[in-house]
Amino acid sequence: MTWRDPIAVMRALIQKAHPYRGLGVPNPVVAAAVIRDGQWVADGVHVRAGCAHAEVLALDQAGDLAQGATLYVTLEPCTHWGKTPPCCDAIISAGIDHVVWAVDDPSPHVRRLPAQCVLEAAGIGVTGGVLADHARFLNPAFHRPQSDAPFITLKLAQSLDGKLALDNGDSAYLTSVSARRYVHQIRNAVDAIVVGAQTVWMDDPELTIRHGVEHGQAPAVIVASRDPNTPKRLCDTRLFAVDRPVYTTTLSTAGITHVQRVNANGILGPSEPISTVWRSPYLLVEGGGAVANQLLQAGVVDELMVMIAPCILGGSRGWGGNSPDALARCLRYSHTHVHQFDDTVMIQGLTGV
């Protein structure tokens, strides 16, 4: 197979990067490839902060074959020093003839000195914006507009008939092991996991990062509940089994705006705007159906990840909230991708890119 179509190359790179989402926090996941005379010479994926970036990995692998070749990358190459040198310096040194990227890097360092300026000054051709909307799916929170409002990813695991659990509440291990590992990668990237109190009482979840995913501190947990007894009841759950903050919140028509920290004795701290606890917070909502419905109705879900298992559960434990009176009024995610995790299919949707 020859690789002369920029769209085909970029699509392949996006697919290559997707399984690594969440592993390189705080850095975005990025994939790069060196293409020479239509041949795929080398590639690399950046999956760990502090390690070589995707461009450098691909260039090192290509060696002398990078001279006069085209470098494709899913994110605009960096132009500044961080934990590693600027990728544009490596691109220039390798003798690359042309650089093609998907989406611009929104980082202030790169916006002050865009890669186009650096590369064109060195005589290197530049093409940006190839499959930009698709590449934003790799790091959606990274590409959000600057805002203090939370970026909210809603993850749901359901059966083919749209049910989240059996009528007795059992939903354990509905999806494949690889699908669950991917969710743990997403946990690694977020500031906090949001669950409803009923999910905590029913499942007593740990909400930690497992499945072999390397990580630092476990994300905070936010429990949505209107019951004043919830803080005391949380003391007897596994949420305090690890060292991480636990909060409660009351969902409003505006979604999640304030939180209160709960200590291991069930004592509540003061109510705080969520934007003062985390700057531009990134939240992963994992359950249950009532919390999902409320956030969807509030219109604050930025990313929807629906894991579909190959089974029929029947019963009444579905999701989606109240039905509108016309299809024209239903909630639509206009930007969607489909991914396979063994026998589980994930539909990923963004409200805007």
Side-chain angles (χ1 to χ4, degrees):
M1 180 178 180
T2 58
W3 295 92
R4 300 187 183 278
D5 180 4
I7 292 177
V9 175
M10 197 63 71
R11 182 174 288 114
L13 280 180
I14 292 169
Q15 291 173 346
K16 187 176 187 64
H18 178 263
Y20 300 96
R21 178 181 167 184
L23 294 179
V25 291
N27 292 354
V29 60
V30 181
V34 175
I35 306 295
R36 182 187 177 100
D37 298 328
Q39 299 302 306
W40 190 294
V41 174
D43 56 55
V45 180
H46 176 64
V47 297
R48 195 79 64 230
C51 295
H53 287 193
E55 301 96 316
V56 174
L57 292 171
L59 293 171
D60 286 350
Q61 186 185 126
D64 292 343
L65 291 177
Q67 184 79 33
T70 297
L71 177 73
Y72 288 82
V73 60
T74 56
L75 181 69
E76 177 185 3
C78 64
T79 57
H80 64 285
W81 274 85
K83 292 183 178 179
T84 58
C87 287
C88 283
D89 289 359
I91 293 168
I92 294 168
S93 297
I96 287 290
D97 182 67
H98 197 100
V99 179
V100 180
W101 67 76
V103 62
D104 290 346
D105 187 335
S107 303
H109 293 293
V110 181
R111 296 284 46 87
R112 283 194 293 268
L113 182 60
Q116 182 175 353
C117 297
V118 175
L119 296 174
E120 287 185 342
I124 298 173
V126 168
T127 303
V130 177
L131 290 184
D133 287 351
H134 296 259
R136 288 189 181 96
F137 276 87
L138 295 173
N139 308 285
F142 179 73
H143 291 291
R144 64 176 154 181
Q146 290 300 311
S147 172
D148 287 335
F151 184 95
I152 297 179
T153 294
L154 171 60
K155 188 276 296 182
L156 295 163
Q158 68 166 52
S159 59
L160 290 171
D161 57 335
K163 302 304 188 298
L164 303 177
L166 298 174
D167 279 348
N168 65 9
D170 184 14
S171 63
Y173 308 122
L174 188 63
T175 56
S176 67
V177 171
S178 57
R180 297 198 297 274
R181 186 184 193 280
Y182 183 76
V183 172
H184 283 246
Q185 292 177 203
I186 305 303
R187 287 182 180 181
N188 189 47
V190 303
D191 296 302
I193 300 170
V194 182
V195 292
Q198 290 305 313
T199 297
V200 177
W201 312 147
M202 178 69 68
D203 300 337
D204 192 18
E206 291 181 340
L207 297 179
T208 52
I209 301 169
R210 305 182 303 279
H211 288 279
V213 176
E214 291 187 21
H215 62 279
Q217 184 180 22
V221 173
I222 302 173
V223 179
S225 174
R226 294 182 180 275
D227 184 351
N229 295 316
T230 291
K232 285 295 185 184
R233 293 185 65 184
L234 288 175
C235 299
D236 299 323
T237 70
R238 294 195 293 170
L239 297 183
F240 287 100
V242 296
D243 181 21
R244 46 92 181 281
V246 176
Y247 299 85
T248 63
T249 190
T250 300
L251 299 183
S252 69
T253 55
I256 302 171
T257 60
H258 289 70
V259 294
Q260 287 182 273
R261 187 159 182 176
V262 186
N263 68 20
N265 297 316
I267 306 300
L268 273 178
S271 177
E272 302 175 82
I274 192 169
S275 59
T276 65
V277 180
W278 299 285
R279 184 174 176 270
S280 299
Y282 182 12
L283 308 180
L284 173 63
V285 181
E286 292 207 44
V291 172
N293 294 344
Q294 285 180 267
L295 294 175
L296 287 167
Q297 294 296 322
V300 296
V301 175
D302 300 284
E303 179 185 25
L304 187 64
M305 292 170 46
V306 182
M307 303 281 190
I308 305 172
C311 61
I312 304 292
L313 297 184
S316 59
R317 288 182 175 260
W319 64 281
N322 297 326
S323 177
D325 57 8
L327 285 174
R329 295 187 177 90
C330 71
L331 178 62
R332 289 186 179 273
Y333 285 77
S334 55
H335 306 279
T336 57
H337 271 194
V338 178
H339 307 279
Q340 187 90 30
F341 297 95
D342 297 320
D343 66 358
T344 298
V345 173
M346 183 184 82
I347 299 176
Q348 178 191 18
L350 298 177
T351 53
V353 290

